[in-house]
Amino acid sequence: ALRSMYPHSETNSFRLINGEGDGFPGLVIDIYFDTAVIKHDHPIMEELWDRYAIARLITQDFPRIGCVYYKRRNDDDSKGENLVGQLRSEVQFLENGVSFASNIRDAAKTGFFLDQRDNRKLISQFSKDKSVLNLFSYTGGFSLFAAKGGATEVTSVDIAKAAISAVERNFEINNFQTKHEDIAIDAFEFIAQSVKEKRLFDLVITDPPSFAPNQKAVEKATDGYTRVYSDSLKLVRPDGLFAASSCSSPINFEMFLEITKESFAKACKKGTLVYLGGQ
């Protein structure tokens, strides 16, 4: 009932069960239009939850669901299992009017980072007539919404060739005519090259992978975030916009704000906070 607003005409992808937040420890279920994906935060949770019974309940409550897929870690010998139906090589779904395609079997997490939905929409509201650089782009979520918002050009950078191919595919299925450059290169290397070349963008988005998987890594992660944000800021035009994001749970809001302040100082830049968001 909490998610009864979905699906609607603009969005048909959402998180049905959010682990501990919904009273289901270690259980995540994401819906991508007609496909449900079950994932656990640890293999031991397989023994707690009956995935076959859960799959039956999903199809009872959501008749549109034709496939329920149980997804294991990507480095697991068996990446996953079809519980109901057959997982397609490409699953398409909608988020705020933008189409996305995901190869769920090989993708990160359950297939997409649904928790950034509101932030992606926000980017579209800041992108009109701007050149946008999306660093650590993965499959181009921010890039697509920048294009939807009227960006003049979008550059997506990610080290994974498969992710960059997915960016191109997502632009293709949306038929966006925005000029876009999709580059498979280490983002740190791209930043260093671009600083040397004195390239500048109106909006730079830096959303790196987690630098702090646990509390022990916080100090090193703080240094890493400060470095990558300060270097990214050197690519922002005067009076331009910078969007920084962190997916490291040990880095809380207060720490994140301190990191961004230090990044501005290190880059000898001055900034004004216009928005602070979360999941």
Side-chain angles (χ1 to χ4, degrees):
L2 284 169
R3 278 82 185 187
S4 62
M5 71 179 80
Y6 293 106
H8 55 68
S9 60
E10 291 280 291
T11 301
N12 58 26
S13 53
F14 64 100
R15 177 151 293 183
L16 177 65
I17 298 294
N18 189 41
E20 288 83 349
D22 286 331
F24 295 89
L27 175 65
V28 163
I29 303 174
D30 283 345
I31 304 289
Y32 299 101
F33 183 42
D34 60 356
T35 301
V37 182
I38 298 174
K39 202 172 193 317
H40 297 315
D41 58 10
H42 193 281
I44 195 69
M45 302 309 287
E46 281 192 31
E47 299 176 20
L48 176 64
W49 298 110
D50 183 343
R51 58 187 179 276
Y52 303 102
I54 291 169
R56 288 193 297 271
L57 289 169
I58 291 171
T59 54
Q60 285 174 24
D61 287 348
F62 298 89
R64 188 190 70 249
I65 299 295
C67 173
V68 180
Y69 183 71
Y70 174 64
K71 195 173 191 302
R72 294 185 174 89
R73 291 172 59 94
N74 279 358
D75 57 3
D76 196 291
D77 290 339
S78 170
K79 289 190 177 184
E81 176 186 356
N82 288 300
L83 304 178
V84 173
Q86 190 76 26
L87 181 69
R88 300 189 302 277
S89 59
E90 178 182 280
V91 174
Q92 291 192 20
F93 54 94
L94 279 171
E95 177 184 285
N96 287 318
V98 176
S99 295
F100 287 95
S102 177
N103 173 358
I104 285 173
R105 183 178 183 273
D106 296 319
K109 304 300 182 181
T110 64
F112 195 65
F113 293 97
L114 293 171
D115 56 348
Q116 287 274 35
R117 179 193 296 139
D118 292 345
N119 296 325
R120 282 188 285 265
K121 185 176 181 180
L122 185 82
I123 287 296
S124 71
Q125 297 166 10
F126 284 103
S127 301
K128 188 171 177 58
D129 299 328
K130 290 183 172 61
S131 59
V132 179
L133 171 62
N134 184 11
L135 295 165
F136 308 95
S137 67
Y138 189 48
T139 57
F142 286 116
S143 301
L144 271 291
F145 275 91
K148 184 185 181 184
T152 54
E153 57 181 294
V154 179
T155 302
S156 306
V157 178
D158 198 281
I159 194 171
K161 290 181 180 179
I164 290 301
S165 294
V167 177
E168 294 168 351
R169 174 62 178 152
N170 285 327
F171 266 94
E172 177 188 325
I173 63 176
N174 284 280
N175 198 29
F176 285 143
Q177 300 305 306
T178 310
K179 178 183 176 184
H180 64 100
E181 186 179 12
D182 310 315
I183 307 170
I185 187 177
D186 187 316
F188 297 99
E189 186 179 332
F190 178 88
I191 294 168
Q193 286 179 3
S194 298
V195 169
K196 282 184 183 178
E197 295 168 6
K198 297 183 179 179
R199 292 186 68 179
L200 295 174
F201 300 83
D202 297 317
L203 167 58
V204 175
I205 304 159
T206 304
D207 181 20
S210 176
F211 290 172
N214 52 53
Q215 203 63 38
K216 291 180 182 178
V218 166
E219 185 176 346
K220 186 176 180 181
T222 298
D223 292 340
Y225 282 124
T226 303
R227 185 172 66 255
V228 73
Y229 293 154
S230 62
D231 288 345
S232 298
L233 279 162
K234 296 171 186 174
L235 303 178
V236 182
R237 290 189 202 282
D239 298 322
L241 294 165
F242 177 58
S245 183
S246 161
C247 62
S248 296
S249 56
I251 305 288
N252 60 33
F253 269 130
E254 291 73 21
M255 295 164 68
F256 184 68
L257 281 173
E258 282 304 312
I259 288 169
T260 52
K261 286 177 184 177
E262 180 61 28
S263 300
F264 272 86
K266 191 173 179 183
C268 299
K269 296 269 189 176
K270 190 174 182 180
T272 299
L273 179 64
V274 294
Y275 176 80
L276 178 62
Q279 292 172 307

